[in-house]
Every structure is written in C-alpha cells, then in structure tokens.
C-alpha cells in the first residue's frame, strides 16, 4: 500500500472527493431496484445537496426528491425540480407560506405529525388560495417524530377536516435500523417489519374513508427490505448515492461501493504512535461510528482499506491516526477517509472534487447548506 502524495497532488487538503463512476453505479443500482420492487424512487436530497447529482438521479428514473430544510426545497424548486416531499416539520408561518405558494407551480408535499402543524399549513394555504398535499408521519420505532399507529386514525380525521390541505398518504423514516447491532438478516427483518406496520396503518386509514395514495418508506439501512413490502408505493433512501462507513458496517454496502472520501495529508509526526492529519471535525463532521468509536475508515489514496490504521479522535482541524499501520505514514503522506456519515460531511464543504480514477474531472458545489 502506498500513501504517496502524488495522487491528486494538485488538490489542496482536506478535500471532499466524489468518485463519479462509483456514484453512477450506486444511482443505477437503486433505480433498478426500485423498478423491480415496483416503487417510485424519491431519494433524499440532504445526502448530496448537489443539483448535478439530483439530475443524474432523475435521469436514472427518480420521480422527484425528499428534502429536510427550506433551503433544500428552494434549491430543488429553483432548479426546476418540481416534485418534492419536505419531510421535516415546517412549523412556522413563514415556512408554511413558502409551502403554500410553492404549490401554485409545483408539488411540494409536506410531512406532518400533528394537528397543530396541519393547522399552521391549513391557514397558510387558505391565505394563499392554494392546496398543500400532506403526508402523515407514522412512528414505526425510531421514536423521533411521527404519530403512533394507534393514534393515526384520530389524527387523520382532524387533519382531513381542515381546509387547504389534502391528506395524501403516510410515511416513515425507519432510521431505527441504523442503530441495530445485529446481523444483516436481523436488519432486513426489522425493515420488513416496520414497513408492514406502515402498510397496516395505510389500510386502516383507507377503511376510515381517507384516500391514501402514498405509502412511503425511506432509509439506506432498509433500502432493500422496506420497499419490497406489498403496499409500499415509494422509497426515499438518500445515503445510498454515496454510501458511507456506517452503511458499510451495517451491511448495506461493501466498502468498495462508497463513493465519498475525504482526502487528507499527514501534517505532523509528533510521536511514534501518532500521526496528525489535516482532516478534523470541520472536515469529517462529529458523527461517530455506529459500531466502535472512530471517525471513518482510512484508505490509501488509490482506495485500498488500511484496516491497521485507526482514525481515533479529532479536533477542529486535526485528526489523530494510530494503529500498527501508521509506520507507513510519513510527513506529507496522504490518506483518503471514508466518512462515517456522508450527509454530515457534504454539508461541511462548499466545493466537491469529482474524480475518475486519479483525475479530477469536475468541481461541484453543494447548495442549501444553511
Ligand atoms: C425523513 C427521512 N427520509 C429518508 C431519509 C434517508 O435515510 P438515509 O440517510 O438512511 O438514506 C432520512 C434520513 O435521515 C429521513 O430523515
């Protein structure tokens, strides 16, 4: 394994690299999977935050995008992508007004989990003479937002009675799969179980007279399980576009399928058992590993995993590597690190180097970062 500084020597570090060929394989794989599972693909935009990537996902068959923030929704709509699901409570009059007005020219569906939030949206929609499609979030085990299945019927009845909003479906984010420590089979079973609960809620709401056209699931740990459940209509995985070290540890992907790395340089060799690199928390984000406690998987610049090097801790601009493999790292050596969590890392960079093999072929800029 060589950690020679010649590969990508024109790139200042720390730098975020996206391997275009691998990303394209990830995009195709998920698009083909969605076709086979007979679900619409609505990837989460918070992972790439790049319109260039979104366009490639659309070309491969995505029907639109999921987003988390108003800035992401604005960026997608400004790029002419006009089928967006905003899956994060827009709980202010200003955000509700934005959603209402956006629905004059596009479809901006909004995820909701309370009658209070529905009322805010309803008021804005009536004022703007608009209709906001809303999708009711069901908590199938994440214990974040969402209503429990037992409460769904009552909440749906109150929402449906409000003017200006149209209850159009149910959704879940099965993020609880990301903290499971069991085997891949157990993670797959948990994804299937969560989606089955969601489908049961959809059926119950239909029996109560609601038109539930969207039954939407979404996560990368559950990418090949939840969408396969009969009755699911839509899948919203996001991280799959790049994958990352956490998904590798969860068995969602092989390390070779990770298309995102942070290129970093050894800037100090202060002790025999320690190498200091220029990628700290401001490059890697502070997302710790879901198994063990490292800041990412260290590889050589050409991509081979260096299992014997551990990214042990980080300060703002300094990362600390140790492990038996660091003997091969001298001052100026370069490493590439597969980050634990792609979404957080993209948000740290305003410029992304798109690479093919050893060549930088493009520079892209994440949008909607704030
Ligand atoms: C509502 C929602 N949908 C979909 C996703 C995508 O999940 P993942 O990042 O595991 O692909 C997320 C991620 O946090 C989410 O919050």
């Amino acid at each position: 394994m060589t950690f020679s500084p010649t590969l990508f020597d024109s790139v200042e570090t720390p730098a975020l690299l996206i391997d275009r060929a691998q990303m394209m394989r990830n995009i195709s794989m998920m698009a083909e999977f969605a076709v086979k599972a007979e679900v619409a693909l609505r990837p989460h935009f918070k992972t790439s935050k790049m319109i260039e990537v979104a366009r490639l996902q659309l070309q491969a068959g995505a029907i639109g995008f999921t987003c988390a923030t108003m800035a992401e929704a604005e960026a997608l709509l400004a790029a002419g992508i006009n089928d967006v699901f905003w899956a994060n409570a827009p709980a202010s009059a200003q955000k509700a007004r934005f959603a209402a007005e956006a629905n004059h020219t596009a479809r901006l569906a909004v995820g909701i989990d309370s009658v209070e939030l529905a009322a805010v949206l309803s008021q804005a929609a009536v004022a703007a003479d608009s209709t906001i499609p809303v999708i009711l979030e069901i908590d199938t085990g994440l214990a974040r937002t969402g209503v429990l299945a037992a409460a769904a019927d009552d909440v749906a009845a109150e929402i449906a009675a409000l003017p200006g909003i149209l209850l159009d479906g149910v959704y879940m984010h099965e993020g609880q799969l990301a903290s499971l420590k069991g085997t891949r089979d157990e993670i797959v079973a948990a994804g299937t179980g969560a989606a089955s609960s969601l489908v049961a809620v959809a059926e119950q709401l239909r029996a109560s007279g609601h038109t539930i056209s969207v039954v939407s699931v979404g996560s990368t740990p559950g990418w090949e399980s939840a969408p396969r459940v009969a009755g699911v209509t839509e899948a919203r995985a996001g991280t799959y576009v790049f994958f990352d070290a956490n998904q590798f540890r969860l068995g969602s992907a092989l390390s070779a399928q990770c298309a995102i790395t942070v290129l970093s340089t050894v800037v100090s060799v202060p002790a025999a058992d320690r190498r200091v690199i220029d990628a700290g928390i401001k490059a890697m984000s502070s997302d710790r590993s879901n198994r063990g406690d490292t800041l990412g998987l260290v590889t050589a610049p050409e991509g081979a995993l260096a299992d014997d090097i551990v990214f042990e801790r980080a300060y703002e601009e300094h990362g600390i590597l140790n492990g038996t493999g660091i003997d091969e790292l001298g001052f100026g050596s370069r490493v590439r690190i597969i980050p634990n969590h792609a979404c957080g890392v993209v948000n740290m960079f305003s410029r992304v180097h798109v690479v093919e093999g050893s060549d930088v072929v493009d520079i892209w800029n994440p949008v909607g970062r704030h």
Side-chain angles (χ1 to χ4, degrees), residues 112-120 147 154-159 162 165:
I112 62 171
D113 72 344
S114 71
V115 178
E116 289 82 356
L117 177 56
V120 173
V147 302
D154 289 346
V155 175
E158 288 195 60
I159 289 170
L162 292 169
I165 59 173

Side-chain angles (χ1 to χ4, degrees), residues 243-268:
F243 286 118
D244 57 26
N246 278 347
Q247 298 303 332
F248 163 67
R249 296 186 196 99
L250 285 161
S252 319
L254 305 171
S255 63
Q257 288 175 284
C258 297
I260 184 169
T261 49
V262 173
L263 181 70
S264 181
T265 305
V266 174
V267 293
S268 176

Side-chain angles (χ1 to χ4, degrees), residues 44 46 66 87 144 171 173 218-221 236-239 247 343:
H44 208 307
K46 71 164 148 182
T66 308
R144 188 173 70 177
Y171 83 103
H173 168 52
S219 77
T220 296
R236 307 185 318 276
T239 303
Q247 298 303 332
C343 311

